[in-house]
Amino acid sequence: MSHATVQVLHIDTPAMPRGAILVDLLFSAITGLFRAAQARKPTRSEEAASVRAMAFKLQDTDPGFASDLMMAASRHESLDDEPATSRR
């Protein structure tokens, strides 16, 4: 009869792969930078100013649309002047 001897070496695997903690810390730091830099909401005056700027650019090519944009900007900006109870 022939004999075969097999020696099995068992190495415990770590509970967490090497470097996972480092990658987690780096990921948390990078995503934290983007969360901290949230954009603020522009005011009605700033929004109206950007619409007026667009209207001025379109004045020569499409004066009717530019006029509509100017009126929309004025209406949007005037919403700050109305009391909160009259808004829908």
Side-chain angles (χ1 to χ4, degrees), residues 13-73:
T13 55
M16 188 177 299
R18 291 184 194 122
I21 295 173
L22 177 64
V23 170
D24 180 49
L25 290 173
L26 287 173
F27 181 77
S28 297
I30 291 171
T31 56
L33 291 174
F34 292 108
R35 280 190 215 125
Q38 293 178 352
R40 70 170 183 84
K41 186 176 185 253
T43 64
R44 285 192 185 273
S45 298
E46 292 170 341
E47 290 173 338
S50 67
V51 172
R52 284 189 186 99
M54 186 185 341
F56 284 126
K57 289 179 184 175
L58 294 171
Q59 189 70 37
D60 294 333
T61 58
D62 196 350
F65 184 56
S67 175
D68 289 344
L69 285 175
M70 292 293 253
M71 290 304 297

